[in-house]
Amino acid sequence: MFAAIFATLLLQSSQEAEVAAVLDRLNAASTAADGEAYFAQFTPDARFVGTDATEHWTLPEFRAYAAPVFARGRGWSYPATERTITIAPIGCRCIAWFEEKLLNASYGETRGSGVLRLTEDGWKIEQYVLSFAVPNDRADAVVEVIKGE
């Protein structure tokens, strides 16, 4: 019994490390403006939800947005400062979700969250959501600015 529990914990720890590596590769590729490596982290039917309300993209739509930016040698950097990864407690151990605190030179602290799926090619991102972290005591002011447009 103990051996089975220990084996499960080792597998979970290993899978969490693999998921973290995907997210780290995603940031490294975007920082380096390496579109090929960046988009290789996603499933073909992935979704990217950005900070703007209009940014709800399929992978081809997101690639069309990002390709010209990467082609100019520009990228973006959002290294994680904290991250929580959960492997779904289902038999296949093939779904994971995460939430992370990110740091960006222009935006400061932001958040990333999403879902990954274990594929034949390893863990791939199914959905990534990038959002701003708005302190509760400033939320009303931010909402008023948005409404004012």
Side-chain angles (χ1 to χ4, degrees):
M1 175 78 162
F2 180 74
I5 292 171
F6 185 69
T8 299
L9 291 175
L10 282 178
L11 175 62
Q12 181 172 340
S13 176
S14 171
Q15 288 182 310
E16 288 173 6
E18 292 170 14
V19 168
V22 170
L23 298 170
D24 290 342
R25 283 194 302 271
L26 185 75
N27 182 62
S30 65
T31 300
D34 184 344
E36 186 174 328
Y38 184 82
F39 289 106
Q41 306 312 307
F42 292 89
T43 63
D45 58 346
R47 290 261 178 200
F48 185 93
V49 181
T51 57
D52 188 283
T54 64
E55 297 174 340
H56 189 254
W57 293 317
T58 64
L59 193 63
E61 291 167 337
F62 187 44
R63 188 185 299 267
Y65 162 80
V69 177
F70 288 156
R72 290 191 302 270
R74 296 187 55 214
W76 47 83
S77 183
Y78 289 86
T81 59
E82 290 181 36
R83 181 181 289 148
T84 301
I85 296 168
T86 303
I87 306 298
I90 56 179
C92 67
R93 312 285 300 163
C94 58
I95 302 292
W97 56 88
F98 68 93
E99 60 88 12
E100 54 188 2
K101 289 183 183 178
L102 308 169
L103 192 58
N104 178 266
S106 298
Y107 297 136
E109 187 177 283
T110 60
R111 301 271 194 248
S113 62
V115 177
L116 289 87
R117 178 172 49 89
L118 185 57
T119 72
E120 291 179 2
D121 297 321
W123 288 97
K124 299 290 182 179
I125 299 167
E126 288 274 2
Q127 177 173 295
Y128 193 99
V129 179
L130 179 63
S131 59
F132 293 121
V134 178
N136 286 336
D137 63 346
R138 296 187 179 165
D140 289 341
V142 171
V143 169
E144 287 305 312
V145 169
I146 294 169
K147 284 181 180 178
E149 294 183 355

